[in-house]
Amino acid sequence: MTYIFGNWKMYLTLEESLSLAQSLADMSVPDGVQACVFPSMIAMHSVQESLAGSGCGVGVQHVAWTPRGAYTGEISAFIAKEAGSAYALVGHSERRHIFGETNDDVRKKLEACMESGLAAVLCIGETHEDKAQDKRTYRLKKQLMKALHGLSQDAPLLIAYEPVWAISGSGGGEACLPADVQDIHGWIRTEVAQYTDKDIPILYGGSVNQGNAASYIACDDVSGLLVGSASTHADSFAKIVAST
Ligand code: 13P
């Protein structure tokens, strides 16, 4: 299975989200490809209704770690799943670096997803400083260990490797070369095998577009892509899905 996921971040209004969803409803999704978009919380349910019966699923960009209660402003994994989400991003670098989510928060959110039966996409990635100081694998090792050690996997788990320096908008937007992606994905696969005997898909994200998508997909240890800004245009997302 190849996963092509589109994180719409906070790029689109409700109206823009619905119009994009309508364009994607007819997108052709090749056999063996799982497409999914991650709209804003405001748009998620309507986008899900609009894409029902299409080849494209819907997920949420983050979740709270507790199922329900007095938690102003939060939406839980349990509620997201009930509203039609198939996946949740957990620990996206923008949540970690802009909104201060810690490895402990990420762990609690992963546990909430597992308890609610919501498939989780654990996002990991090093910063430019980590890389410059030769701390790339140190950072990733720590993020993986805190997230996965002893985690009971009652729902599907995926990993998205998104180097912060390669993300457009919030990061450096510097392209990560496919050979570099392959090396680090191979390393992540070995690292993850310490915590689970399941075959965990590892997606790549960071400035993916219709021009470079195929070069990442061609890497042995890349199971899919997590696309940001290029997923907010029907044309480019459909071309990325078709390039698999
Ligand atoms: P870009 O594709 O815009 O660089 O974003 C990547 C990302 O953060 C997806 O979650």
Side-chain angles (χ1 to χ4, degrees):
M1 179 68 75
T2 302
Y3 302 84
I4 306 293
F5 287 179
N7 177 7
W8 295 356
K9 306 194 178 185
M10 203 179 72
Y11 283 124
L12 306 173
T13 63
L14 174 60
E15 203 180 319
E16 290 162 348
S17 304
L18 290 175
S19 127
L20 177 55
Q22 265 150 30
S23 314
L24 293 179
D26 300 329
M27 172 174 72
S28 90
V29 179
D31 283 349
V33 173
Q34 168 73 70
C36 184
V37 293
F38 295 75
S40 69
M41 287 294 190
I42 290 277
M44 191 275 290
H45 186 56
S46 318
V47 167
Q48 192 266 327
E49 286 183 333
S50 178
L51 289 174
S54 79
C56 188
V58 174
V60 284
Q61 299 175 13
H62 72 112
V63 290
W65 43 262
T66 193
R68 60 166 103 200
Y71 300 97
T72 302
E74 294 293 325
I75 294 186
S76 69
F78 163 73
I79 291 172
K81 180 155 192 279
E82 190 255 357
S85 273
Y87 294 90
L89 303 182
V90 178
H92 189 278
S93 83
E94 286 147 19
R95 302 299 318 165
R96 292 179 189 259
H97 297 290
I98 304 174
F99 298 103
E101 260 179 35
T102 63
N103 279 326
D104 286 343
D105 296 328
V106 170
R107 171 59 181 242
K108 287 199 278 188
K109 290 172 183 218
L110 270 183
E111 284 174 3
C113 288
M114 295 297 125
E115 278 159 25
S116 313
L118 182 62
V121 184
L122 166 66
C123 303
I124 59 168
E126 80 285 0
T127 62
H128 193 270
E129 293 75 60
D130 291 332
K131 195 165 156 251
Q133 293 167 12
D134 225 6
K135 285 187 169 169
R136 188 185 207 179
T137 52
Y138 162 82
R139 185 66 59 210
L140 298 174
K141 206 177 193 35
K142 203 161 156 188
Q143 291 173 344
L144 287 169
M145 198 255 289
K146 292 272 193 173
L148 302 181
H149 183 70
L151 181 76
S152 94
Q153 260 178 263
D154 304 320
L157 176 71
L158 297 83
I159 290 175
Y161 169 61
E162 300 201 296
V164 179
W165 47 271
I167 297 177
S168 72
S170 66
E174 203 185 304
C176 186
L177 297 174
D180 194 12
V181 172
Q182 168 54 34
D183 276 358
I184 208 84
H185 275 225
W187 178 87
I188 292 169
R189 193 171 295 289
T190 311
E191 197 66 19
V192 168
Q194 290 178 45
Y195 304 110
T196 172
D197 49 14
K198 294 194 176 146
D199 188 16
I200 305 291
I202 307 171
L203 283 56
Y204 170 71
S207 295
V208 173
N209 56 45
Q210 62 194 68
N212 61 20
S215 66
Y216 294 119
I217 289 293
C219 300
D220 283 350
D221 285 305
V222 172
S223 331
L225 302 168
L226 180 54
V227 187
S229 61
S231 72
T232 60
H233 304 280
D235 229 43
S236 53
F237 190 62
K239 282 192 178 128
I240 293 170
V241 168
S243 72
T244 51

